[in-house]
Amino acid sequence: MKQCIKTNGVLFFFCLISLIITAQEQSVQSNIKCLNYPSSFELLLRHFKGKIVYIDVMASWCKPCLAELKEYEKTDDFFKKNDIVRLFISIDEPKDWNACLKRLDERLLNGYFVTYHRPENSVENNKFSVEVEKLFVTYDEKGNFAGLSVPQFIIVNREGTIVEYKAQRPSNPEELKNQLKQYLE
């Protein structure tokens, strides 16, 4: 009987410690800053003038996108040390924007977030969605819509010019770091 009480007490202690650790981990929040919907891609990039920007075009329903989110921690120190900006552009429908942000929060990621879809109250002649479409929409040889291609990773240099349309993925951390080093100088 004493052995059973002792075993249950030890088990209770470890469960309590586990709950405390889990609660502490959940209290840490990601550092994703939501940006206002821009009128153009150029205007969006002006936020980051003088910095290298690593763009992740993604969606909360895309399994390869979610798999890549898990890999970002391998490059965190490199991004921080070199002041490289992460910009997540979601192609989620407006009803799923919160789901996308939740996915980013779950991974405790740092960076910026903007959606590809124009909010209902934005100006009709907005160029941003048309410009961003070129990054992830594919067309066949006749120019007909062929599908969506996400995730897509893009590198923008300090001058605000796209220099890599098919950048390395976070799951290839060493190749990605080497690719980014080209633009640090």
Side-chain angles (χ1 to χ4, degrees):
M1 180 73 164
K2 286 182 181 180
Q3 184 64 27
C4 182
I5 292 171
K6 185 176 180 180
T7 302
N8 285 341
V10 170
L11 184 60
F12 174 77
F13 175 77
F14 283 112
C15 287
L16 183 61
I17 295 298
S18 176
L19 285 172
I20 291 169
I21 290 170
T22 302
Q24 288 174 341
E25 288 174 351
Q26 289 176 348
S27 70
V28 177
Q29 292 295 313
S30 71
N31 193 18
I32 297 294
K33 295 172 185 73
C34 294
L35 299 173
N36 290 331
Y37 191 79
S39 59
S40 70
F41 193 63
E42 178 186 354
L43 186 63
L44 172 65
L45 293 178
R46 282 187 199 164
H47 285 281
F48 312 111
K49 191 79 170 167
K51 296 186 178 199
I52 295 170
V53 181
Y54 184 70
I55 299 174
D56 181 344
V57 181
M58 50 90 65
S60 65
W61 45 261
C62 165
K63 289 185 181 185
C65 298
L66 300 178
E68 290 297 329
L69 291 180
K70 296 176 184 177
E71 303 295 328
Y72 271 106
E73 67 187 40
K74 296 175 183 174
T75 58
D76 276 345
D77 291 339
F78 180 82
F79 274 64
K80 286 176 192 170
K81 177 183 171 191
N82 294 291
D83 200 24
I84 298 170
V85 172
R86 283 191 189 126
L87 173 60
F88 299 94
I89 300 177
S90 167
I91 68 167
D92 282 286
E93 293 293 328
K95 65 181 177 52
D96 297 322
W97 291 345
N98 285 334
C100 189
L101 282 168
K102 181 181 178 200
R103 298 286 190 196
L104 297 172
D105 282 343
E106 288 170 352
R107 303 305 321 162
L108 302 175
L109 296 170
N110 295 306
Y112 295 85
F113 173 88
V114 69
T115 179
Y116 147 78
H117 290 284
R118 182 176 58 80
E120 289 180 23
N121 60 353
S122 71
V123 180
E124 288 292 327
N125 63 357
N126 189 299
K127 298 186 301 182
F128 180 69
S129 62
V130 174
E131 294 167 334
V132 172
E133 260 182 22
K134 296 174 186 174
L135 302 176
F136 70 91
V137 175
T138 57
Y139 298 93
D140 65 17
E141 61 281 346
K142 294 179 183 177
N144 298 316
F145 176 80
L148 304 176
S149 180
V150 288
Q152 290 295 323
F153 301 96
I154 297 104
I155 297 174
V156 178
N157 68 13
R158 295 181 195 278
E159 290 74 41
T161 304
I162 295 177
V163 291
E164 298 286 348
Y165 281 90
K166 299 289 182 189
Q168 291 291 324
R169 296 168 173 253
S171 57
N172 298 325
E174 294 310 312
E175 292 89 345
L176 174 56
K177 290 175 195 176
N178 288 333
Q179 195 174 41
L180 287 164
K181 284 177 187 176
Q182 299 174 60
Y183 307 105
L184 289 173
E185 301 157 0

